[in-house]
Amino acid sequence: RTRSAVGTWSIRVASGSGTLNEGPAHEKHAGPLAAAWSGSLAAPDASQSRMPERLMVHPINPQSRLIDKAAAVLKAGGLALVPTDAGYAMAWSLNGKEAEERVQRLRELDSKHPFTLLCRQLSEAGRLARLDDPAFRLMRSLTPGPCTFILPASSDLPKRIKNSGRSKRRDIGIRLPDHVVTRALLEAMGEPLLSTSLLLPEDVEPESHEAEVVAERWLRWVDVMLDAEDCEPGPTSVVDCTGDAPEVVRQGFHPVAL
């Protein structure tokens, strides 16, 4: 069977020229972008209602004002770039259907492509997925950390996610990221976020851990970026917990041993 949470990982963007204009002390706004696009890449999504914001947040002691500002964008249906312990990722709210459609258009994904849930704690993951004893013990030993777990979906998984792309989703990818900024964002949201890697169709390897590179290539397509400087490279390791015993189906930048 197909490993639902394991996708292809790669991207190299034809860079459109752009500028970053200094705003208030902790905020930068994306300036005008020239039309230097190649292949199937399109200009920034027309559904964006305002100019993207780049919020310069402290990587250890994130400013609550900036976290709350990013959370408000997500709660309004926006799309964000967030730092994790395995590179930056795009994230959106559980109800952010339009943001998800923007991701699908950008990455040229069909409606069956599964996205990963970012959770605050193990109890939250246990509400959205069914955890047997081996999976629970394994997750407790490896989280928070740069590991994605493929788990059987529970009946509490939101209907929009469960029914997306097929009659019923039987499994789901879940992460508990070990990055103070994204954990603060999850607390401000009060619920998990959906996420995906920074990969365009032509990419072979993600280049998602250097904040400046991420901003240059990806800010034009989102509504807000929480810039917490460079973070640990990805990808995550992936552990499939849907079989008789947990199985590592991909070793990430930080390998795991079961």
Side-chain angles (χ1 to χ4, degrees):
R1 62 187 171 80
T2 301
R3 304 294 188 187
S4 66
V6 185
T8 54
W9 298 75
S10 55
I11 150 159
R12 202 163 299 267
V13 181
S15 61
S17 61
T19 60
L20 284 176
N21 300 322
E22 294 290 346
H26 300 293
E27 302 173 19
K28 292 183 181 180
H29 298 271
L33 294 167
W37 312 98
S38 67
S40 61
L41 296 183
D45 201 309
S47 64
Q48 288 177 249
S49 59
R50 60 180 182 177
M51 190 173 291
E53 290 187 272
R54 183 178 178 183
L55 306 180
M56 313 302 288
V57 61
H58 195 283
I60 305 300
N61 298 300
Q63 304 92 319
S64 340
R65 178 181 68 84
L66 300 182
I67 295 295
D68 290 344
K69 189 170 188 177
V73 171
L74 291 173
K75 289 176 182 179
L79 183 61
L81 289 168
V82 300
T84 78
D85 49 0
Y88 280 79
M90 281 189 288
W92 59 100
S93 72
L94 296 180
N95 294 320
K97 183 179 179 181
E98 290 185 4
E100 187 169 301
E101 290 171 349
R102 287 164 60 187
V103 170
Q104 289 169 336
R105 288 194 298 270
L106 175 61
R107 292 195 54 194
E108 297 182 10
L109 304 172
D110 63 31
S111 61
K112 295 182 180 180
H113 183 87
F115 297 109
T116 300
L117 284 166
L118 303 180
C119 294
R120 292 173 287 178
Q121 50 198 346
L122 199 51
S123 60
E124 192 169 61
R127 182 173 59 83
L128 300 172
R130 299 198 310 272
L131 300 181
D132 59 17
D133 288 341
F136 178 83
R137 289 194 297 268
L138 182 62
M139 289 189 72
R140 187 172 58 182
S141 69
L142 293 176
T143 60
C147 191
T148 300
F149 298 87
I150 308 173
L151 298 158
S154 80
S155 58
D156 288 336
L157 187 68
K159 186 177 296 185
R160 189 188 75 78
I161 301 171
K162 186 182 298 184
N163 295 339
S164 61
R166 42 185 153 173
S167 58
K168 191 172 183 180
R169 177 151 287 154
R170 298 193 179 112
D171 48 47
I172 190 72
I174 289 182
R175 286 179 62 186
L176 278 70
D178 189 15
H179 195 291
V180 65
V181 172
T182 294
R183 291 178 71 82
L185 178 63
L186 289 168
E187 287 293 340
M189 291 293 297
E191 65 179 16
L193 290 170
L194 285 159
S195 69
T196 191
S197 305
L198 302 188
L199 291 170
L200 290 180
E202 294 82 3
D203 289 342
V204 177
E205 293 291 337
E207 296 182 6
S208 60
H209 68 286
E210 295 181 357
E212 199 61 43
V213 172
V214 169
E216 180 181 345
R217 295 181 173 180
W218 291 90
L219 185 60
R220 67 194 73 173
W221 287 305
V222 302
D223 302 298
V224 65
M225 174 182 180
L226 282 173
D227 185 337
E229 304 178 0
D230 297 351
C231 53
E232 285 284 306
T236 63
S237 294
V238 178
V239 180
D240 188 342
C241 298
T242 62
D244 294 333
E247 176 188 1
V248 178
V249 294
R250 182 184 69 198
Q251 289 288 11
F253 184 80
H254 295 285
V256 297
L258 305 185

